[in-house]
Amino acid sequence: MSESNRELEPLSDPGLPEHLHRKTDVDPLAAKKAERQVSILFTLSALGTILFVYAYIWIPEDTLIFLPLFNVTNAHQLFLGLGLAMALFFIGLGAVHWAKTLMPDHEVVDYRKEQRSKDEDRAAFVATVKDGAAQAGLGRRPLIKRSLGLALGLVGLSPILLLRDLGPLPENDLNETNWKAGTRLVTDPGDRPIRPSDLEVGGVAQVQPEFPAGKVRHLDDIAQDSVLLIRIRPEEFNLDAERLSWTYEGIIAFSKICSHMGCAVALYEQSTKHLLCPCHQSTFDVTRAAKVIFGPAARPLPQLAITVDNEGYLVAKAPFNEAVGPSFWGRDSG
Ligand code: FES
């Protein structure tokens, strides 16, 4: 027997209390029962993954359900979370239960060695690992083997599925906001129509397009439609005639969604008339139609042409002059 094998022998007298055998070590029926329990836990994990996949593919993202404790909640996200939690929780629980009830339970000693083990020790380690795998009894316990294979296989699928979130490209979605010719600008929050006199020179307001009664504004709408309204003195604009005609008495409107990576452009410096995106410091010059003067953004913020309707409220003259949001593959970034 080699030195290393001798070191991994069960201790005959390790100075510990007498080793108590588990029920599953001495009772084949108990072992069989534990095997079934482990298999059930792995199967529950597999069901969790199936729930996750089902929710991801077949439950629409805006499906709402009523739950007693949570009130109305989003079913898509709820079942995604529950499915993944079940998959990971039960696979962990199954592995722990398997280790505690069925895997070898005797004490071994491994003496301290040099940092690099001797070649024969390394070979012995490999042999021990193989021996341990054999002792884990996968070959003898086909139920565990199959249910573990199923659970691991399905859990492994989850990240592959999430790759789908990298696409598809937004295609035409960002070209189509709720801004149309004649849409009133309303305060956000508050939903009140705005007259030019409501915004004093130097002022900034966040607005949304007015929705017809009964139409619900979803988060996607808010993300795409958010507009910053800024008022400066008309003579401070440095715009061509067309862009100047998109402003109204010194009021100019830009998409609030940064053209770099889509953060909210939320900081306005009144003295310099610069808009700043807090994410990566892209800076846009309000007087020059939000031209980029600093930072990684590659194009100006889209401008919304505005005017007033016959009741004197600010309205859009036309949809945005280009797609809102960040640049993406296949889209001109200039
Ligand atoms: S998202 Fe605005 S600068 Fe990056």
Side-chain angles (χ1 to χ4, degrees):
M1 183 177 294
S2 76
E3 176 72 10
S4 53
N5 280 342
R6 189 191 63 73
E7 288 170 358
L8 292 174
E9 281 176 352
L11 287 177
S12 50
D13 180 13
L16 297 172
E18 186 190 353
H19 180 77
L20 295 176
H21 290 292
R22 301 165 304 186
K23 198 167 175 208
T24 47
D25 291 332
V26 293
D27 180 355
L29 281 180
K32 200 70 199 164
K33 185 175 164 194
E35 183 180 349
R36 276 197 301 275
Q37 289 167 338
V38 172
S39 148
I40 288 170
L41 292 170
F42 287 154
T43 305
L44 285 172
S45 165
L47 289 176
T49 306
I50 289 170
L51 177 63
F52 174 84
V53 173
Y54 178 82
Y56 192 88
I57 296 177
W58 283 289
I59 300 182
E61 285 173 26
D62 53 0
T63 307
L64 299 177
I65 55 166
F66 180 81
L67 291 180
L69 276 183
F70 299 90
N71 245 335
V72 176
T73 192
N74 182 303
H76 176 79
Q77 295 188 356
L78 178 72
F79 290 115
L80 270 186
L82 269 182
L84 198 56
M86 268 180 71
L88 298 177
F89 177 73
F90 285 116
I91 211 167
L93 202 60
V96 170
H97 192 48
W98 181 15
K100 281 192 164 290
T101 54
L102 296 170
M103 287 193 180
D105 184 42
H106 53 262
E107 293 86 3
V108 294
V109 64
D110 188 9
Y111 294 108
R112 287 186 188 178
K113 310 181 190 76
E114 294 173 8
Q115 284 285 334
R116 188 192 187 284
S117 308
K118 290 178 269 179
D119 287 342
E120 59 267 33
D121 290 348
R122 292 157 71 93
F125 172 77
V126 173
T128 304
V129 169
K130 286 185 178 160
D131 188 40
Q135 286 199 48
L138 276 180
R140 283 181 290 112
R141 303 191 191 282
L143 208 53
I144 289 186
K145 187 174 168 183
R146 280 196 287 267
S147 56
L148 177 61
L150 177 70
L152 282 179
L154 286 178
V155 155
L157 270 184
S158 319
I160 295 173
L161 201 67
L162 294 177
L163 288 178
R164 188 169 158 250
D165 281 343
L166 293 177
L169 292 175
E171 306 286 344
N172 212 25
D173 281 2
L174 296 174
N175 279 315
E176 292 169 0
T177 66
N178 290 297
W179 291 105
K180 311 274 181 300
T183 308
R184 273 187 181 166
L185 283 61
V186 294
T187 56
D188 176 19
D191 273 339
R192 278 177 288 101
I194 304 175
R195 295 179 196 274
S197 55
D198 294 336
L199 197 64
E200 49 188 47
V201 173
V204 186
Q206 178 171 309
V207 296
Q208 294 285 335
E210 186 177 49
F211 272 23
K215 183 172 174 191
V216 180
R217 180 174 286 128
H218 295 290
L219 278 178
D220 278 359
D221 298 315
I222 296 172
Q224 284 186 210
D225 297 341
S226 284
V227 159
L228 275 180
L229 216 54
I230 299 161
R231 185 164 198 172
I232 62 177
R233 285 192 296 277
E235 62 273 19
E236 290 176 306
F237 283 128
N238 184 4
L239 302 172
D240 60 34
E242 186 191 11
R243 287 303 184 103
L244 197 58
S245 72
W246 294 4
T247 67
Y248 190 82
E249 291 182 357
I251 301 176
I252 191 165
F254 298 112
S255 166
K256 196 179 173 185
I257 314 304
C258 184
S259 54
H260 175 224
M261 291 180 74
C263 288
V265 177
L267 305 172
Y268 175 58
E269 198 176 38
Q270 203 179 348
S271 57
T272 56
K273 319 229 166 2
H274 291 166
L275 274 169
L276 180 79
C277 175
C279 287
H280 313 99
Q281 282 72 52
S282 285
T283 308
F284 306 89
D285 185 351
V286 169
T287 64
R288 291 186 286 163
K291 183 178 162 65
V292 182
I293 54 170
F294 180 79
R299 57 193 185 90
L301 299 171
Q303 185 179 347
L304 185 72
I306 55 171
T307 183
V308 291
D309 62 14
N310 49 19
E311 291 180 57
Y313 290 109
L314 286 168
V315 293
K317 256 184 176 174
F320 273 111
N321 65 318
E322 59 171 316
V324 300
S327 302
F328 51 84
W329 292 311
R331 168 182 177 169
D332 184 6
S333 63

